[in-house]
């Protein structure tokens, strides 16, 4: 099993969050990479069910806070709903993904994520007033 380092970054390169993801195989599709990331972050939040959810996409019925999202009512997050939002966000250019410093273009693209690999999720923010 390999450990993949994942960083959430802004378009200017500021690191918002960093996590390590255990990956069983050395290559997977971008869709599978996103799915594994979402499943692990939702499972970690659901185990504790309190505090701030620091994930790829904002859960339903939550508000943005300084370091993530706070649910209005503490409850488990639905992993299927989060995965749908994450995949939709990728397809609608809400964020883009660099794997080993190369931008991936589609959910079906296969990428190498073996030992020493990195993945950066670059979150884009909508322009205000434009």
């Amino acid at each position: 099993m390999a450990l993949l380092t994942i960083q959430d970054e802004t378009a200017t390169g500021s690191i918002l969050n960093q996590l390590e993801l255990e990956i069983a195989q050395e290559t997977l599709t971008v869709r599978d990479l996103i799915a594994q990331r979402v499943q692990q972050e939702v499972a970690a939040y659901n185990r504790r069910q309190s505090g701030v959810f620091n994930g790829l996409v904002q859960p339903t019925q939550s508000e943005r806070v300084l370091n993530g999202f706070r649910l209005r009512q503490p409850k488990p997050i639905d992993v299927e709903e989060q995965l749908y939002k994450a995949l939709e966000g990728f397809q609608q250019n809400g964020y883009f993904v660099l794997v080993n410093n190369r931008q991936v273009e589609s959910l079906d693209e296969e990428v190498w994520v073996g030992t020493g690999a990195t993945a950066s999720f670059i979150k884009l923010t909508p322009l205000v007033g434009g």
Side-chain angles (χ1 to χ4, degrees), residues 49-61:
Q49 281 191 34
S50 65
V52 174
F53 175 72
N54 196 350
L56 181 59
V57 293
Q58 183 172 357
T60 302
Q61 298 182 359

Side-chain angles (χ1 to χ4, degrees), residues 13 21 41 52 63 66 68 70 91 98:
L21 193 66
E41 65 193 13
V52 174
E63 59 188 1
L66 182 61
R70 183 176 310 279
Q91 291 177 313
L98 301 175

